[in-house]
């Protein structure tokens, strides 16, 4: 019996030590993640409704419980689904291009072709360190006709190209996002490559494998897990597309305030779209989250079937 108690003591102590180390993270996780989600979920069941007004209004706005009415208004709002269609179209061509570029850069840095890896890694990651709003404003300058040095160069060559046209603006925004996040995703792939034991590469070389064969037959297959993570993060980020269209809409009023679902949620909260208020905005945000989660699960399941 004494031996049994002696065996339990260290286990309990280790568990308490583990929870003590996790306590700061769990505290922050609850404060900045779980509580805001709970508040948003609670708010989504309420709506500001005027009460006590006369024939010509003038009543006081009060938060009134409306159940799932806010969600019903979101899913029946065609502007929301048009915005969702835009971000899905955007994701269909932007994410593959960005992931392939990030993987190619990571493979290049992991090869013998690059001597000063640190400098290249920092330079490619640098765009991610620039705040998104600032980067979007810089690209807005580069895209705006009349002041854009790119347009001036194209005009000198006799090419008339408008980055702000309705058919091109998604591609223009995709270029902005790709420039920003390619280096970030490159680090994900590079970390996965550096975790591979180099003895595996040496064994392949001894067996007569070329550098190209090592890359295509060993390195690329081992990057599937990293690619899954990068794509899932990109899907979630694309559904939340906000900085680029918001800045672009300042000089393109035709885009409106609901060009993307995230813009719709923000402008609903700020009262520039109707219905407005925290409740409808929370409903828009939560529907977005459900769609992003569903897309991520579908991609993960499809990737598992391929593997």
């Amino acid at each position: 019996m004494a031996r049994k108690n002696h065996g339990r003591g260290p286990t309990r102590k280790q568990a308490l030590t583990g929870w003590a180390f996790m306590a700061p993270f769990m505290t922050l996780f609850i404060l900045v993640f779980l509580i805001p989600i709970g508040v948003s979920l609670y708010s989504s069941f309420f709506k500001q409704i005027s009460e006590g007004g006369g024939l010509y209004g003038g009543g006081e706005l009060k938060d009134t419980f409306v159940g799932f009415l806010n969600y019903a208004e979101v899913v029946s709002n065609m502007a929301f689904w048009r915005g969702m269609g835009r971000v899905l179209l955007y994701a269909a061509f932007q994410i593959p291009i960005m992931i392939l570029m990030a993987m190619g850069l990571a493979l290049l840095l992991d090869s013998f072709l690059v001597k000063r890896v640190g400098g290249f890694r920092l330079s490619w990651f640098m765009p991610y360190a620039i705040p998104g709003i600032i980067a979007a404003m810089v690209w807005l300058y580069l895209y705006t006709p009349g002041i854009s040095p790119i347009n001036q160069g194209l005009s000198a060559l006799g090419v008339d190209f408008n980055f702000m046209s309705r058919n091109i603006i998604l591609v223009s925004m995709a270029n902005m996002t790709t420039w920003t996040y390619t280096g970030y995703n490159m680090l994900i792939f590079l970390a996965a490559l550096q975790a591979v034991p180099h003895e595996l590469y040496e064994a392949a070389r001894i067996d007569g494998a070329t550098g190209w064969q090592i890359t295509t037959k060993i390195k690329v297959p081992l990057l599937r897990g990293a690619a899954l993570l990068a794509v899932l993060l990109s899907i979630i980020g694309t559904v939340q597309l906000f900085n680029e269209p918001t800045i672009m809409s300042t000089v393109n009023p035709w885009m409106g305030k609901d060009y993307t679902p995230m813009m719709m949620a923000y402008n609903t909260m700020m009262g520039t779209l109707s219905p407005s208020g925290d409740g409808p905005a929370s409903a828009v945000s939560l529907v977005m989250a459900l769609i992003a989660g569903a897309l991520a699960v579908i991609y993960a399941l499809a990737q598992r079937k391929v593997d």
Side-chain angles (χ1 to χ4, degrees), residues 106-177:
L107 291 169
L108 180 63
L109 290 180
D110 194 61
S111 67
F112 294 106
L113 300 177
V114 179
K115 300 300 181 182
R116 294 179 176 84
V117 175
F120 284 99
R121 182 173 54 195
L122 179 62
S123 62
W124 287 329
F125 179 76
M126 189 65 70
Y128 180 74
I130 300 174
I133 291 293
I134 302 300
M137 293 174 66
V138 172
W139 280 105
L140 179 65
Y141 162 73
L142 294 175
Y143 287 155
T144 303
I147 62 174
S148 169
I150 299 177
N151 281 105
Q152 293 175 5
L154 292 175
S155 298
L157 297 175
V159 178
D160 184 16
F161 190 82
N162 185 7
F163 292 99
M164 303 289 195
S165 67
R166 294 174 182 266
N167 297 328
I168 301 297
I169 198 164
L170 278 179
V171 178
S172 300
M173 290 190 291
N175 176 63
M176 298 159 65
T177 306

Side-chain angles (χ1 to χ4, degrees), residues 218-240:
I218 298 178
K219 290 185 177 182
V220 172
L222 291 175
L223 289 176
R224 287 183 178 178
L228 175 61
L229 173 62
V231 172
L232 292 180
L233 293 175
S234 299
I235 290 173
I236 295 172
T238 300
V239 174
Q240 299 177 11

